Amino acid sequence: MIIFNNIVGFKNHLRKLKNDNVKIGFVPTMGALHNGHTSLIKKSVLENDYSVVSIFINPTQFNNINDYKSYPINISRDIELLDSISENIILFKPDTEEIYSGKVVSDSYDFGDLDKYMEGKHRKGHFQGVATVVNKLFEIVSADNVYFGEKDFQQLRIIEVLVQKNGYKLNVIRCKTIRQNDGLALSSRNKKLDISSQNIATNLFKALSFAKKNFDTLDLEVIYAKVEDLLQNFPQISIDYFAIADENDLKPIKHKKKNQKYRAFIAADISGVRLIDNIKLY
Ligand code: AMP
């Protein structure tokens, strides 16, 4: 596997490959790779000639400095893992200076109301930071297909809008959430949880599953109340939000309408670690 830390070397390499009219897939990540990431990477490897994987922990998307400083890093294991997947992976792992050239700030983007709810509301500036880095990466990588996980569904929608607004010739491929057998969505942050906290964290998926199972038959208020009851049994869980929202505009709903696609979203702090998850309700 070829590894680049700087933009110029990476772009030169890509330019040479692109001369052969090859298809490039791109999987942006923050590293500490797990099977959720590798599902995206394997899909990209199958669907493209070469796959660029970026590992960059983006400072501008963290609204909490401790969360940024304690974000899990395991680059040697990540490299081993990528090496074992395919020879056609190119790893791009720039440092902050390479990406931000001394100006570590977000650009300003208008996503309408898409970033006003849920993560956008609870993590001020988060999506401006995400859009800033993703935009920079898209300009560097110039891929044909880019892979994002539904695990971060609001992020995925925002990227889809970013691609559309900026007129990038880039297919955004939605990839399903990969879970442990007990339902817990894989996340790099799970590494910060001890075994008993991981067990408690499975209740987020239980709450989402309850909403899915009862969505057609129970009133929304009843679902909201039951989810709150269920999670209140665990003092280690502090809920940021539980919301049922339209999958397209992400606006949390008070009443169901027929033939709409909804998802249930949850974010909670578990023993000091913030986790998010969502599930489709159709
Ligand atoms: P991250 O490293 O957390 O920024 O994630 C990089 C990409 O992997 C994003 O598109 C995430 O949505 C995706 N991802 C993270 N966890 C999972 C998961 N459990 N299943 C599927 N995709 C995931």
Side-chain angles (χ1 to χ4, degrees):
M1 180 175 64
I2 310 187
I3 303 176
F4 292 96
N5 300 318
N6 73 81
I7 296 172
V8 172
F10 171 75
K11 274 184 141 179
N12 280 339
H13 181 71
L14 211 63
R15 205 169 295 127
K16 279 186 219 143
L17 291 179
K18 282 221 139 187
N19 280 343
D20 295 335
N21 209 12
V22 297
K23 251 204 183 128
I24 306 287
F26 178 32
V27 185
T29 82
M30 298 205 296
L33 303 178
H34 50 68
N35 286 346
H37 296 115
T38 56
S39 73
L40 273 58
I41 295 165
K42 285 178 181 165
K43 194 167 166 58
S44 173
V45 165
L46 275 179
E47 296 176 356
N48 300 276
D49 299 298
Y50 291 96
S51 292
V52 176
V53 175
S54 64
I55 295 182
F56 179 64
I57 304 177
N58 174 37
T60 62
Q61 74 186 64
F62 286 83
N63 56 329
N64 174 332
I65 185 78
N66 290 330
D67 189 24
Y68 172 60
K69 288 197 167 154
S70 66
Y71 197 84
I73 300 176
N74 199 340
I75 198 73
S76 52
R77 197 186 154 268
D78 289 350
I79 291 174
E80 252 174 53
L81 191 64
L82 293 173
D83 251 333
S84 73
I85 295 176
S86 163
E87 284 176 354
N88 293 339
I89 293 175
I90 302 160
L91 173 59
F92 180 51
K93 53 172 203 61
D95 63 12
T96 304
E97 180 59 26
E98 189 69 10
I99 292 292
Y100 283 98
S101 317
K103 248 184 101 197
V104 188
V105 286
S106 293
D107 300 326
S108 181
Y109 295 87
D110 181 5
F111 294 114
D113 284 346
L114 272 188
D115 62 347
K116 302 286 181 290
Y117 317 113
M118 301 185 290
E119 289 303 279
K121 185 167 162 196
H122 288 262
R123 298 184 73 189
K124 289 276 172 252
H126 171 65
F127 287 122
Q128 297 296 325
V130 169
T132 300
V133 76
V134 166
N135 205 32
K136 285 177 188 290
L137 290 170
F138 282 175
E139 305 221 320
I140 297 166
V141 178
S142 66
D144 300 285
N145 299 310
V146 67
Y147 297 79
F148 281 94
E150 290 182 346
K151 153 86 169 40
D152 302 281
F153 196 84
Q154 194 170 12
Q155 166 174 282
L156 169 60
R157 279 295 297 130
I158 281 176
I159 303 298
E160 286 174 343
V161 169
L162 180 80
V163 166
Q164 203 182 7
K165 276 195 167 180
N166 288 2
Y168 287 122
K169 282 207 193 94
L170 181 61
N171 302 310
V172 180
I173 315 285
R174 295 180 171 194
C175 304
K176 69 176 176 33
T177 301
I178 305 297
R179 303 178 178 283
Q180 296 182 176
N181 288 339
D182 58 13
L184 180 65
L186 296 185
S187 162
S188 301
R189 286 193 172 84
N190 293 353
K191 298 184 173 80
K192 295 180 13 175
L193 295 171
D194 62 23
I195 293 290
S196 95
S197 300
Q198 278 212 21
N199 276 335
I200 287 164
T202 61
N203 287 291
L204 302 190
F205 180 66
K206 286 187 187 138
L208 293 175
S209 302
F210 174 85
K212 186 175 174 95
K213 191 163 166 229
N214 296 287
F215 185 64
D216 289 336
T217 48
L218 292 182
D219 283 344
L220 280 189
E221 302 108 78
V222 178
I223 294 179
Y224 280 116
K226 292 250 183 200
V227 163
E228 198 171 308
D229 279 356
L230 196 159
L231 296 175
Q232 254 171 8
N233 291 323
F234 303 93
Q236 301 89 337
I237 301 181
S238 155
I239 311 176
D240 256 4
Y241 59 82
F242 168 78
I244 292 176
D246 181 287
E247 148 166 307
N248 214 34
D249 66 17
L250 300 180
K251 190 172 177 180
I253 53 160
K254 299 216 171 74
H255 307 283
K256 299 177 226 176
K257 283 193 209 137
K258 282 213 166 115
N259 301 325
Q260 296 287 106
K261 289 183 169 173
Y262 296 115
R263 279 182 178 257
F265 294 82
I266 195 161
D269 191 288
I270 291 155
S271 316
V273 179
R274 191 169 182 285
L275 300 180
I276 62 171
D277 198 356
N278 72 86
I279 199 169
K280 67 174 180 188
L281 300 175
Y282 55 90

